[in-house]
Amino acid sequence: MMSRATKISFVPFSQLKTDNLKTLLFTARLLVYIALIYFLNGLGTFVYEVHEIVNLYNFEQTWAVIFKNIHQALLMKKLLWEMLFSAAILATAGVLAAIVSFEFKYKSA
């Protein structure tokens, strides 16, 4: 018996179909990309700043410097807020995709 191959798609919610809510589905997909950009921006900023601190100090002092320095503490908060904001955007996109799914399911039933 042959296994069924999974088709990989980089389009969010690629299995959803709709006739009436195309704009809502497009918005849900766009929100996923926006959330990804926010998450990667926060993570990239954090990694860059930690790298800069490691270059200035030795590795043992790095985390002490990060937690004592106000700029780095604010950077940690920025990363946390960007991650929470991206999670909220993903949740909103999921709700929009669920609405599209409900519409297609109940319309075709």
Side-chain angles (χ1 to χ4, degrees):
M1 186 183 268
M2 293 177 52
S3 66
R4 216 167 116 185
T6 303
K7 183 178 170 185
I8 296 176
S9 174
F10 292 105
V11 177
F13 313 117
S14 62
Q15 300 294 323
L16 289 180
K17 298 174 184 154
T18 184
D19 295 328
N20 301 324
L21 299 176
K22 291 179 183 177
T23 305
L24 198 61
L25 182 58
F26 174 77
T27 304
R29 290 175 176 167
L30 182 66
L31 285 176
V32 169
Y33 290 125
I34 290 171
L36 181 65
I37 289 169
Y38 267 104
F39 180 79
L40 292 177
N41 180 37
L43 189 63
T45 303
F46 175 74
V47 168
Y48 174 76
E49 288 293 327
V50 168
H51 179 267
E52 289 297 315
I53 293 170
V54 169
N55 284 340
L56 292 175
Y57 303 96
N58 64 17
F59 189 74
E60 288 81 25
Q61 293 176 333
T62 298
W63 293 107
V65 168
I66 287 174
F67 289 116
K68 287 180 184 175
N69 191 341
I70 289 181
H71 178 263
Q72 275 72 29
L74 291 176
L75 186 66
M76 295 282 232
K77 287 182 183 179
K78 178 184 183 269
L79 173 67
L80 178 65
W81 280 111
E82 285 196 5
M83 290 176 68
L84 290 174
F85 188 60
S86 67
I89 292 173
L90 280 175
T92 304
V95 168
L96 294 178
I99 291 170
V100 171
S101 177
F102 289 149
E103 179 267 340
F104 185 75
K105 179 180 177 183
Y106 290 118
K107 189 189 86 148
S108 63

